[in-house]
Amino acid sequence: MPGFEIFGKEERKEVNDVLDSGILMRYGFDHMRNGHWKAKELEDAVQNIFGAKYAQLTSSGTTALSTAMAVMGVGAGDEVIMPTFTFVASFEAIITAGATPVLVDIDETLCLDPKAVEAAITPNTKMVMPVHMCGSMAQLDALQDICKRHNLLLLEDACQAIGGSFNGQKLGTIGDGGTFSFDFVKTITCGEGGAFLTNNEEYYRNADHYTDHGHDHVGSDRGAETHPFLGYNFRISELHAAVGLGQIKKLDWILETQRKNNAIIKGALSQVEGVTFRRIPDPEGDNASFLSFFLPTEELTRKAHKELLANGLGGNFYWYDNNWHYIKKWDHLKNATSLFPLNPGLVSAIEAMDFDSFKQSDEVMGRTISSLINLSWTEEQAQERAEKMAVTIKSVLS
Ligand SMILES: *Cc1c(COP(=O)(O)O)cnc(C)c1O
């Protein structure tokens, strides 16, 4: 997963370009910047590499999601369907928009279960937000079909699946909008950063304005620009964009390496009776940043996870007990604990939710371990790790 493992002269060169001119902001100062427009260049690279018509960089993946909500017109009174297994940014962005998160079950893809999505649709539903967790994708064909039939927006959170694809199309470019995160632990990193991708020109134009206080970016005098609507500051800095520009040139190598190392671990675990693997709707499109697998019961999974860590095999995650990624530990959401008053409609919607009703998600997540794939492993190290994992799990299962 993490691009930070491979920082080198490429990132340094791009950052030094920015430091040499001293212009750390992405807009303006045209005559002082020695022709360097790192954010613009990274946006062009994202468009070309992923095949999206438009890309708007943001300060984070979370603000990319907030930007998506805004430009797609999601706000007060709207319901957004999201999965029980994700990162907290999913509901943060929905709540920031004033909308209501509607949590629904995942299945053995570790992503939204289309049947559960369809069952959760109400007259207030406006958007379905699949999250392509741990490098692999949701069932986008079924979700697209549901969105079409019910006239709903489809927003792909591809923050963890940069470079993955579904039926030949890059994740993040298939829905009405998509988001990437370039935070420190993602497939490629800017330190902090994100992107909103879309093929819709109006969404893009509004994202360009919205992420910069509503500035219309017309003319060359920033102070004289008008503001067609309210915005925020979700800008990325040139320094962050420069790091990403160094990183994105290595994406092919990153994906190739992840896939090679992932296959080595999978090969060894396939030999262990009782281990099964996450269902991947399009196996060729897996970005392979994690290998996620199932054991027969929650009890055995817990035990195996503990043994893996005890045997020095870090990088194996049991999300079921993890504060960040699974609904079980999101007490601040369940209790609507906020520093400021939330809109009353949202609070009553949260109070009415039955957070204990996700038996299907519990059943899947209780048996899931995700194993992080590193870029820095040699083939021998990957093989050694694979063997050690297989032996450890076998001893727990036998
Ligand atoms: C990392 C992540 C985000 C948010 O990205 P930040 O850049 O950390 O704000 C959103 N969704 C998912 C699934 C993520 O993993």
Side-chain angles (χ1 to χ4, degrees):
M1 192 181 202
F4 72 72
E5 289 181 272
I6 53 156
F7 284 141
K9 58 182 189 314
E10 300 81 2
E11 289 82 355
R12 235 166 255 126
K13 185 214 164 275
E14 300 291 343
V15 171
N16 281 333
D17 282 349
V18 177
L19 290 176
D20 288 345
S21 73
I23 303 305
L24 310 189
M25 182 166 172
R26 68 161 301 177
Y27 297 115
F29 305 92
D30 297 23
H31 304 299
M32 297 163 67
R33 52 196 312 141
N34 297 341
H36 293 306
W37 300 87
K38 298 301 180 187
K40 193 71 216 122
E41 233 187 289
L42 182 54
E43 282 168 349
D44 289 345
V46 168
Q47 286 165 202
N48 291 334
I49 290 170
F50 299 98
K53 261 197 185 145
Y54 307 103
Q56 174 67 46
L57 290 182
T58 55
S59 52
S60 70
T62 308
T63 57
L65 287 168
S66 283
T67 301
M69 298 290 152
V71 303
M72 295 165 94
V74 172
D78 294 330
E79 293 175 1
V80 178
I81 291 176
M82 58 164 277
T84 52
F85 175 50
T86 179
F87 180 56
V88 291
S90 304
F91 59 75
E92 287 170 352
I94 297 168
I95 287 173
T96 300
T100 302
V102 174
L103 281 81
V104 315
D105 269 323
I106 53 125
D107 59 20
E108 290 206 346
T109 63
L110 303 187
C111 296
L112 281 178
D113 174 1
K115 286 191 303 297
V117 169
E118 190 132 29
I121 293 172
T122 76
N124 295 325
T125 308
K126 182 125 177 203
M127 173 184 272
V128 177
M129 182 167 68
V131 183
H132 305 307
M133 284 300 279
C134 304
S136 172
M137 79 291 307
Q139 295 158 78
L140 282 169
D141 42 2
L143 295 174
Q144 265 181 318
D145 175 60
I146 290 169
C147 288
K148 236 179 235 144
R149 280 190 286 111
H150 295 271
N151 195 24
L152 304 174
L153 294 161
L154 182 64
L155 173 65
E156 291 176 78
D157 179 340
C159 288
Q160 292 195 9
I162 295 173
S165 61
F166 181 70
N167 294 345
Q169 250 180 306
K170 291 280 193 264
L171 300 178
T173 69
I174 296 165
D176 300 288
T179 60
F180 288 164
S181 164
F182 302 127
D183 81 20
F184 191 56
V185 296
K186 296 304 204 283
T187 300
I188 52 179
T189 182
C190 293
E192 300 284 359
F196 169 66
L197 289 77
T198 186
N199 293 319
N200 181 310
E201 189 182 354
E202 188 185 349
Y203 290 166
Y204 165 68
R205 193 175 51 246
N206 287 341
D208 166 84
H209 300 2
Y210 185 75
T211 51
D212 187 23
H213 302 294
H215 272 275
D216 65 8
H217 297 151
V218 173
S220 56
D221 178 0
R222 194 168 160 81
E225 291 178 10
T226 66
H227 305 86
F229 46 76
L230 295 169
Y232 276 110
N233 175 6
F234 290 161
R235 291 188 307 258
I236 194 165
S237 83
E238 284 287 277
L239 282 173
H240 291 90
V243 176
L245 206 49
Q247 288 260 297
I248 205 167
K249 293 171 185 161
K250 306 176 185 180
L251 181 62
D252 285 345
W253 180 85
I254 291 174
L255 294 172
E256 197 183 305
T257 305
Q258 283 180 173
R259 286 173 179 147
K260 195 180 73 199
N261 288 343
N262 189 304
I264 291 172
I265 309 285
K266 187 168 185 181
L269 296 195
S270 306
Q271 307 299 315
V272 181
E273 175 108 23
V275 174
T276 55
F277 296 94
R278 168 190 197 171
R279 184 152 65 82
I280 300 180
D282 176 6
E284 279 187 26
D286 186 4
N287 110 338
S289 51
F290 283 91
L291 175 70
S292 297
F293 55 93
F294 307 120
L295 299 183
T297 67
E298 180 185 325
E299 193 193 343
L300 286 168
T301 312
R302 229 176 252 283
K303 199 165 160 209
H305 178 245
K306 220 167 141 191
E307 285 299 307
L308 286 168
L309 297 192
N311 288 351
L313 295 158
N316 283 295
F317 296 95
Y318 185 55
W319 308 119
Y320 196 52
D321 287 344
N322 179 291
N323 283 335
W324 284 52
H325 287 289
Y326 190 57
I327 185 180
K328 226 162 49 95
K329 300 280 173 118
W330 295 338
D331 288 336
H332 58 322
L333 170 67
K334 298 184 210 178
N335 301 324
T337 312
S338 171
L339 289 174
F340 55 88
L342 297 170
N343 86 58
L346 171 61
V347 174
S348 44
I350 289 177
E351 281 168 359
M353 281 176 208
D354 178 6
F355 289 102
D356 297 320
S357 66
F358 300 104
K359 298 287 172 259
Q360 179 177 307
S361 301
D362 284 347
E363 201 281 321
V364 173
M365 292 313 297
R367 297 186 299 112
T368 302
I369 293 175
S370 294
S371 199
L372 183 68
I373 303 300
N374 282 38
L375 299 171
S376 51
W377 296 335
T378 63
E379 194 171 327
E380 291 69 37
Q381 285 172 327
Q383 234 126 27
E384 193 183 316
R385 181 181 169 88
E387 208 39 55
K388 226 167 145 186
M389 280 181 68
V391 169
T392 303
I393 294 169
K394 203 182 266 175
S395 76
V396 171
L397 295 187
S398 62

